[in-house]
Amino acid sequence: MDGWKRAAGSIALIAATTACGTDAPPKNPPSAAETVTSTTRTPRVVDESGRPAITFDPCLDLPDDVLVEAEFDPRSKRPSEYPMESYTFLGCSFKSATPSPGIPHRSRLTILSGNVTLEEEWEKDGHISTRTSVNGRDALLQLDPNNKNTCAINVRTDFGMVTFRRTHFPDDARKLPIDEWCEGLDHTVALFDPHLHP
């Protein structure tokens, strides 16, 4: 996944719109058919690759109560986008809530929703990947010994895959034992899984 991220770079998009009044007379009230609200959301970023549209936005589609249950602070969300000609990633990162007895240090969870396939990810990073599953979804567990205190799980979706990458930040900046890097991440992904669009 690091290769995709390096190739894309980070682009932050913030859009604001304003409406101005006019002196035109009011229009007739809309009909009932016209007042129906669309449930289709325009994606933050689209590309011209012909790949499927990304239907899960990690900054918009995870309920706050689920983030709290996973011990991440919803108020800390930071969006990111990685639009390329041949693929796209929508990202969102969250900081852990106040350290608790079960999690005695801080961590950051970065979620990347992309229209690349799990097979492409295996071809690129198979040397650090192990095939697994989460709630019945095909997944790759990625553990790179050179990526300090970090573990990732990529899960298959109809549009491509979603990557969940967690990094621990111990207060003393030490490197945790490698068998602790992935501990509990599968449980976090399982909590979020029902909110991923197929």
Side-chain angles (χ1 to χ4, degrees), residues 62-74 94-98 100 102-103 105 107-109 111 164 166 168 183-193 195:
L62 289 175
D64 287 356
D65 61 332
V66 176
L67 286 161
V68 170
E69 184 178 358
E71 300 189 325
F72 287 92
D73 184 355
F94 302 90
K95 294 179 181 178
S96 59
T98 304
S100 64
I103 303 179
H105 48 255
S107 62
R108 180 180 66 241
L109 180 68
I111 306 172
F164 298 85
R166 186 189 63 200
H168 292 297
E183 190 173 318
L185 182 58
D186 56 342
H187 176 67
T188 298
V189 177
L191 283 176
F192 295 157
D193 173 74
H195 302 282

Side-chain angles (χ1 to χ4, degrees), residues 6 8 13 37 42 50 63 79 81 84 91 94-95 103 109 117 139 148 152-153 159 162 171-172 182 187 195:
R6 285 195 299 270
L13 301 178
T37 302
T42 302
E81 295 88 19
M84 301 294 285
F94 302 90
K95 294 179 181 178
I103 303 179
L109 180 68
T117 66
K148 180 180 175 182
I153 293 178
F159 58 79
V162 178
D171 291 337
D172 56 8
C182 296
H187 176 67
H195 302 282

Side-chain angles (χ1 to χ4, degrees), residues 69-105:
E69 184 178 358
E71 300 189 325
F72 287 92
D73 184 355
R75 298 168 300 178
S76 69
K77 70 174 63 175
R78 292 291 182 272
S80 57
E81 295 88 19
Y82 306 97
M84 301 294 285
E85 291 181 2
S86 58
Y87 59 86
T88 292
F89 281 95
L90 296 181
C92 202
S93 63
F94 302 90
K95 294 179 181 178
S96 59
T98 304
S100 64
I103 303 179
H105 48 255

Side-chain angles (χ1 to χ4, degrees), residues 4-153:
W4 301 115
K5 189 171 181 180
R6 285 195 299 270
S10 176
I11 299 178
L13 301 178
I14 301 175
T17 59
T18 58
C20 299
T22 68
D23 294 328
K27 297 179 179 179
N28 293 330
S31 67
E34 293 173 326
T35 59
V36 174
T37 302
S38 171
T39 57
T40 302
R41 184 178 61 236
T42 302
R44 274 195 276 153
V45 177
V46 295
D47 58 46
E48 300 177 359
S49 67
R51 292 174 182 261
I54 298 170
T55 57
F56 170 72
D57 188 323
C59 268
L60 300 177
D61 294 332
L62 289 175
D64 287 356
D65 61 332
V66 176
L67 286 161
V68 170
E69 184 178 358
E71 300 189 325
F72 287 92
D73 184 355
R75 298 168 300 178
S76 69
K77 70 174 63 175
R78 292 291 182 272
S80 57
E81 295 88 19
Y82 306 97
M84 301 294 285
E85 291 181 2
S86 58
Y87 59 86
T88 292
F89 281 95
L90 296 181
C92 202
S93 63
F94 302 90
K95 294 179 181 178
S96 59
T98 304
S100 64
I103 303 179
H105 48 255
R106 295 171 295 117
S107 62
R108 180 180 66 241
L109 180 68
T110 300
I111 306 172
L112 294 168
S113 187
N115 55 3
V116 300
T117 66
L118 209 62
E119 287 73 24
E120 288 174 301
E121 182 67 16
W122 174 263
E123 183 177 347
K124 181 175 65 66
D125 283 333
H127 62 290
I128 59 168
S129 302
T130 302
R131 295 186 187 276
T132 184
S133 66
V134 177
N135 285 2
R137 287 183 190 263
D138 292 340
L140 297 177
L141 174 69
Q142 294 183 326
L143 183 60
D144 182 353
N146 298 313
N147 199 354
K148 180 180 175 182
N149 297 337
T150 298
C151 181
I153 293 178

